Structures are given as structure tokens and as C-alpha cells.
Amino acid sequence: TYLNLSLNSLTGPIPEQLGQLSSLTHVDFFQNLLSGPIPSSISNCTSLISLDFSLNNDVVGSIPPSLGRLTALDILRLHNLPNLMGTIPPELGNLTNLRYMYLGQNDLIGSIPPELGKLSKLLDLYLMMNRLDGAIPAELGRLHSLETLNIFQNHLNGSLPKEIGNLTNLQYLDAQNNQLSGELPREIGDMQSLEVLNLFSNKFIGQVPVEITKIHNLSSFIVRSNNLSGNILAELGNMT
């Protein structure tokens, strides 16, 4: 059953009674004027494949941990909710059929749960423009299907984990405007599908690893405003 009320001017809270519609497969409230919290009762709709509450400026509260019970979910869109606060529930790591997770442009805090590394079917992970901190979990290196990792404009710190090199299907990595530090891992060179690598405005040090020049699909490599040193790699001339 589809419930698509997107692109309207609906107001008021998201009704708790949604949880009684157990046959729902798609719920879309994208771009309305809804307010109040995301009801935890939505987790009773265990047939849900797609859930979208994005672009509702007055939705408040946090992401219900009970959403982790929606194990059939393929698409989770909770982005552009400027009053959505709190942490990313580790229970979202139970959504093992999920391919698309959009949690960007909210007011989320805390660290990226390592449990997200269990989402083996995930293609897109959007966590940008929040207030997330802590290190990038090494467990994200288990997301072998991942094509897009967008974590820019947070407060992430620590090094870029060497396990990032396991993401051999990743095409787009944007980690600009964080507080990442340390040396760039040589394992970046294993990401042979990578087309865009944006590490602008972090605190990386040391030399650019020569292995980066082996990424033949790389069309955009941005490391402006870091603390990198050493010579410019001659091998950069081999990049096409």
C-alpha cells in the first residue's frame, strides 16, 4: 500500500495512527509543513520499503530507535529536518536490506555508529551538514556495495581509516569541512571506482600517497586547506 502526500502544505503532527496501517509499503510526506516528532509507532509497519519525512522544517525530536525494526526498508529519507536532533540510533544497523540512507542537513550530534557497517547492501550514505563528531568508524569499510559517502560539514576528527580502501565500488567521497587529521592512508589507491575525492578544509598532514595516482577514474581530487607537505607527485601527470 502506497501513502504519498508529498509536495503539499499539510500541517500538524505526524499521526501516531500510521502505525496501525500494517500493510503500508511506501510512506512519503516529503516537503510539507508537518510538525512534532516522528512517531515511534511507524515501526509497527514492518512491510515498509520506503520512508520519507524530509523537508518538514518543524519536525522535532530525535530518530526513533524503533525504526531499526523495519528490516524490509530499502530507502530511508530523513533529511533537511533542521530541528531533528539527537544521535543516530545504532539500531539502524539492523536495516540490512537498506540501500539508501539520507540523514543529511539535520541537527544530529554524536558519533557515526559502527553498527552502520552491517548495512551490506547500502549504496548511498548521506550524513552531511550535521554536528556529528568522533572518528569515522573503521566498520564502514565493510560497506562493499557503497557508491556514495557524503559526510561533509560535520565535526568529525581522527584519521581517515585505512579500511576505507575496501570500498572498491565507491565513486564519490566528500569529507570536506571536518577536523580529520593524520596522514592520508595509502589504501586510498585501492578504491579503483573513485571519481571524486574531496578532503578540503581538514587537518591532514604528510605527503599525498603516490597510490592515489593509480585511481584511473579519479576526475576530482581536492585537498585544499590542509597541512600537507612534501613534493608534488610527478606521477600526477599520469592521471587522466
Side-chain angles (χ1 to χ4, degrees), residues 8 10 15 27 67-68 98 104-105 107 110 113 121 128 136-137 147 157-158 171 177 180 182 213 218 224 231 240:
N8 281 291
L10 300 173
V27 171
L67 292 187
L98 199 69
Q105 294 175 263
D107 196 27
K121 297 182 180 180
M128 70 286 191
I136 299 171
E147 296 176 353
N157 54 52
Q171 300 170 17
N177 285 304
L180 299 171
T213 63
L218 194 62
R224 185 164 68 94
N231 297 324
T240 57

Side-chain angles (χ1 to χ4, degrees), residues 102-217:
Y102 301 104
L103 303 180
Q105 294 175 263
N106 297 311
D107 196 27
L108 301 174
I109 61 172
S111 58
I112 300 173
E115 288 82 359
L116 298 188
K118 297 189 293 184
L119 304 178
S120 60
K121 297 182 180 180
L122 201 63
L123 299 177
D124 289 353
L125 179 57
Y126 282 68
L127 302 175
M128 70 286 191
M129 298 178 70
N130 283 288
R131 291 191 292 140
L132 300 172
D133 57 23
I136 299 171
E139 287 82 356
L140 294 190
R142 300 174 185 168
L143 302 177
H144 300 295
S145 299
L146 199 65
E147 296 176 353
T148 301
L149 177 57
N150 206 331
I151 52 176
F152 76 83
Q153 203 167 320
N154 279 287
H155 304 299
L156 299 171
N157 54 52
S159 62
L160 195 63
K162 64 180 182 180
E163 289 82 2
I164 205 85
N166 297 330
L167 304 180
T168 53
N169 287 305
L170 196 69
Q171 300 170 17
Y172 185 95
L173 171 56
D174 192 345
Q176 65 176 300
N177 285 304
N178 279 287
Q179 298 169 23
L180 299 171
S181 59
E183 296 187 353
L184 298 177
R186 293 178 298 172
E187 288 80 3
I188 287 178
D190 297 332
M191 304 164 71
Q192 286 299 308
S193 299
L194 200 61
E195 298 175 10
V196 175
L197 176 58
N198 191 345
L199 303 175
F200 162 71
S201 191
N202 279 284
K203 299 178 180 180
F204 290 112
I205 61 171
Q207 294 185 314
V208 174
V210 67
E211 287 81 3
I212 282 180
T213 63
K214 300 176 183 178
I215 307 175
H216 301 299
N217 291 320

